[in-house]
Amino acid sequence: MRHWGRWVASAIVLFIVAVIVYSVVNNPRFQWGVVGDFLFDPRIVRGARVTLELTFLAMLIGIVLGVVLAVMRLSPSPLISGLSSFYIWFFRGTPVLVQILFWQFVGALYPKISIGVPFGGHVFASASANHLITPFVAGLLGLGLNEGAYMAEIVRAGILSVDEGQTEAASSLGMRRILTLRRVVLPQAMRVIIPPTGNETISMLKTSSLVSVIAYPELLYSAQLIYSVNFKTIPLLIVAAIWYLFFTSILSIGQYYIERHYARGTSGQVNRRDLAQVMANAMRFRHESGGIP
Amino acid sequence: MLRAEAVHKSFGRLEVLKGVSLELQAGEVMCMLGPSGSGKSTFLRCINHLEKIDGGRLWVDGSLVGYRQEGDKLYELRESEVAQKRAEIGMVFQRFNLFPHMTALENVIEAPTHVLGVGKATAVAEAKTLLDRVGLADKIDTYPAQLSGGQQQRVAIARALAMKPKLMLFDEPTSALDPELVGDVLEAMRQLARDGMTMVVVTHEIGFAREAGDTLVFMDEGVIVESGPPREVLANPRHDRTRAFLSKVL
């Protein structure tokens, strides 16, 4: 028989899978019935919506900030480029969990937040920090500002991947630096920027669960609130996991179509095999710190 | 149209241009010949300030390149002023440098619409005329990756012409092409020369230099070794270095 080794390996793998499936289905402690009861519980659905909101707003902050920081980093001015490096060093060098907690307790540092002329000048508007920095805002700031540092490096790598001849051609046509960046460099950099940004978004979806530490009812904390009352810990964690998996799958499919869009004009079109790759990436386990792999 | 006076340029310790002086009248075609590393491409890039010169003076159409003179002092122009000057000078590169994410037509209308503020409809109409002139009327919606090198270079020429430049610079425009594709590009350039465009062409195409050029400049080691009418220089080179170079390429 040809490929007998492959047959043996397949048989072993199938056997192991069968054992696991059997135990998962027949272990009553999984309480699949409870999972079903809570999957569409209004509190869970609301938490899932909050997780989506947090993810998209934090990524929005991260991407905008990332582009600005990347452009600053590549500026000929050492002050501007240094400022960007400092930001990236600081926000990448401290855990995002610490940053979220920090924003939650920023009121201890600055009890009042005001807009006005600095160095003791006229104040136009002022509010209490505890009033302004709600847990949602603290979570968003923690996640978004941290993401900005990672996105800055991704965008910078993308910009550097574009051939210098492109910038030269654009300059020779009288295009200025910012116009060149917007019309020529960034659209080409997108092909390099999109795949890791997709990974970052998927990672952010899961990292947003850290906001549970400041007691904001996103998906995980909503589940925790329920099991702290009914003690159905495992089923509720499974409910949360199912929602996370559902969202990451949707995001992966979206990423496939965005990548295909930005691959136009190149011979290496995204093909079906890449879709499989994207799905595999989504399933890949990533560490909670949201770092670049 | 173009005047250079003792132009110097160094990259770190390496002195690439050691005092280049020349003059080119409007409507003339100047071909620059020389071994690689002789500084001819660098000189070309100085003309539209892609490289800053370290010494000497360079004028295009009566105004200094990259600087403004007040009394005895030179002031570097702001980015917007440099860009404005560059818009008047077309450049064609060895590696084409087309924008790969845009179709041929989009490549050609990009700068007119975004730099000169030409209306889209007008720009498209002009771009179609230009692409037709270089023989690519049927390729307007094609992306660069699907074009041959020769076709890409002709789109690049159309893209530069769309800015209605006063002066066109060609940096070895046929060096990256397969031999059988060179002809179409040279033909487009000959056509341009016949139409009275002022051109500086860095090239290894001796035939083109002989037929289309008004002046031939031979450069070696950062200086102009000799220059004159192409037929004369090619038939009776006065300098040993020119003779040695021509004997290798002819």
Side-chain angles (χ1 to χ4, degrees):
Chain A
M1 189 163 71
R2 286 195 305 155
H3 307 307
W4 64 272
R6 206 185 289 171
W7 284 104
V8 171
S10 304
I12 294 173
V13 169
L14 270 178
F15 175 74
I16 295 172
V17 170
V19 168
I20 293 173
V21 169
Y22 178 84
S23 104
V24 167
V25 171
N26 289 302
N27 182 345
R29 293 178 208 209
F30 273 101
Q31 303 181 58
W32 290 105
V34 180
V35 171
D37 291 344
F38 281 97
L39 194 55
F40 295 104
D41 185 285
R43 288 165 290 182
I44 293 288
V45 172
R46 201 184 314 122
R49 208 189 60 217
V50 170
T51 286
L52 275 187
E53 283 168 9
L54 265 178
T55 303
F56 281 104
L57 290 175
M59 279 311 290
L60 194 68
I61 294 175
I63 290 169
V64 171
L65 203 60
V67 171
V68 171
L69 285 166
V71 172
M72 284 172 68
R73 184 89 192 264
L74 295 168
S75 158
S77 151
L79 181 74
I80 292 175
S81 137
L83 202 66
S84 166
S85 301
F86 177 81
Y87 182 96
I88 294 166
W89 169 77
F90 186 82
F91 280 90
R92 225 169 41 161
T94 51
V96 65
L97 182 54
V98 174
Q99 290 172 31
I100 292 169
L101 287 168
F102 179 85
W103 287 111
Q104 169 72 2
F105 298 118
V106 78
L109 265 183
Y110 292 101
K112 270 177 103 175
I113 294 172
S114 359
I115 301 173
V117 181
F119 308 115
H122 183 72
V123 172
F124 301 119
S126 169
S128 138
N130 286 330
H131 185 69
L132 216 55
I133 310 287
T134 59
F136 181 77
V137 173
L140 196 58
L141 283 174
L143 294 171
L145 298 186
N146 182 263
E147 187 56 34
Y150 285 99
M151 282 308 301
E153 290 295 272
I154 290 171
V155 174
R156 188 170 73 103
I159 290 175
L160 291 178
S161 76
V162 178
D163 181 44
E164 212 180 330
Q166 293 290 311
T167 318
E168 283 188 353
S171 329
S172 81
L173 289 165
M175 294 171 75
R176 297 174 60 177
R177 208 173 99 87
I178 295 299
L179 182 66
T180 303
L181 201 68
R182 189 164 62 81
R183 296 284 310 170
V184 176
V185 177
L186 279 179
Q188 293 183 61
M190 281 306 196
R191 283 185 46 232
V192 173
I193 293 173
I194 293 285
T197 303
N199 282 345
E200 287 296 311
T201 310
I202 286 164
S203 175
M204 176 63 78
L205 194 88
K206 296 175 289 175
T207 309
S208 68
S209 61
L210 290 180
V211 174
S212 62
V213 298
I214 55 174
Y216 189 71
E218 40 67 69
L219 182 50
L220 177 61
Y221 193 64
S222 302
Q224 288 174 330
L225 281 176
I226 299 172
Y227 72 62
S228 66
V229 176
N230 68 8
F231 304 109
K232 308 274 189 199
T233 309
I234 295 292
L236 277 151
L237 287 178
I238 291 174
V239 164
I242 289 173
W243 277 102
Y244 282 117
L245 269 175
F246 172 68
F247 287 143
T248 50
S249 309
I250 299 286
L251 284 175
S252 306
I253 293 166
Q255 184 183 2
Y256 164 75
Y257 284 104
I258 294 172
E259 275 176 32
R260 201 173 62 167
H261 172 77
Y262 280 100
R264 74 190 193 282
T266 61
S267 38
Q269 297 280 348
V270 178
N271 53 33
R272 289 191 166 279
R273 198 194 190 96
D274 290 329
L275 180 59
Q277 182 66 45
V278 165
M279 296 302 292
N281 277 346
M283 304 307 167
R284 202 176 58 194
F285 187 79
R286 292 230 8 224
H287 194 264
E288 293 296 8
S289 66
I292 295 174
Chain B
M1 179 58 73
L2 170 68
R3 193 148 73 89
E5 254 181 42
V7 170
H8 281 262
K9 171 73 192 173
S10 301
F11 292 114
R13 280 239 192 101
L14 183 71
E15 200 177 12
V16 184
L17 298 176
K18 302 168 182 167
V20 174
S21 304
L22 52 77
E23 209 164 329
L24 182 68
Q25 303 300 323
E28 284 188 347
V29 175
M30 178 194 283
C31 291
M32 304 186 84
L33 225 59
S36 56
S38 58
K40 47 196 192 326
S41 284
T42 304
F43 178 72
L44 200 71
R45 293 162 60 83
C46 288
I47 297 174
N48 67 355
H49 207 52
L50 280 181
E51 304 287 353
K52 276 184 207 169
I53 61 175
D54 301 322
R57 295 273 200 284
L58 199 56
W59 291 268
V60 170
D61 200 25
S63 60
L64 275 176
V65 173
Y67 299 90
R68 181 162 37 87
Q69 190 164 13
E70 278 173 23
D72 273 351
K73 282 205 168 156
L74 285 185
Y75 297 93
E76 204 173 342
L77 293 181
R78 279 183 288 128
E79 196 217 348
S80 58
E81 297 169 312
V82 173
Q84 215 170 3
K85 288 279 172 215
R86 280 195 188 124
E88 302 173 349
I89 306 172
M91 186 159 190
V92 174
F93 299 84
Q94 183 179 351
R95 309 256 4 142
F96 330 132
N97 297 351
L98 288 181
F99 306 135
H101 58 302
M102 301 181 189
T103 62
L105 186 75
E106 287 166 348
N107 263 280
V108 178
I109 65 170
E110 178 64 19
T113 51
H114 285 92
V115 176
L116 301 179
V118 176
K120 179 110 188 253
T122 317
V124 169
E126 286 178 357
K128 282 182 174 166
T129 312
L130 283 169
L131 286 167
D132 186 35
R133 241 169 76 186
V134 294
L136 294 172
D138 56 334
K139 299 287 183 193
I140 55 173
D141 292 323
T142 311
Y143 285 100
Q146 288 138 6
L147 294 171
S148 75
Q151 292 170 333
Q152 288 190 52
Q153 194 60 299
R154 284 181 280 152
V155 174
I157 292 173
R159 179 176 69 173
L161 290 176
M163 295 297 284
K164 303 197 170 69
K166 297 172 179 168
L167 170 68
M168 282 283 285
L169 310 174
F170 293 85
D171 189 3
E172 305 200 20
T174 55
S175 299
L177 298 178
D178 291 336
E180 77 271 21
L181 302 175
V182 169
D184 289 338
V185 172
L186 290 183
E187 186 43 45
M189 290 168 63
R190 273 194 205 99
Q191 180 64 48
L192 202 53
R194 279 198 292 274
D195 293 347
M197 175 61 73
T198 317
M199 293 160 64
V200 182
V201 185
V202 170
T203 186
H204 294 296
E205 296 292 333
I206 308 282
F208 177 81
R210 184 187 292 129
E211 292 148 37
D214 297 297
T215 321
L216 192 147
V217 170
F218 177 73
M219 279 186 76
D220 194 14
E221 294 183 354
V223 292
I224 294 177
V225 177
E226 67 181 286
S227 65
R231 283 168 201 283
E232 244 169 68
V233 176
L234 291 170
N236 302 304
R238 276 167 293 156
H239 208 283
D240 287 344
R241 275 195 279 177
T242 321
R243 219 171 288 142
F245 177 76
L246 289 176
S247 72
K248 275 183 221 152
V249 296
L250 278 177

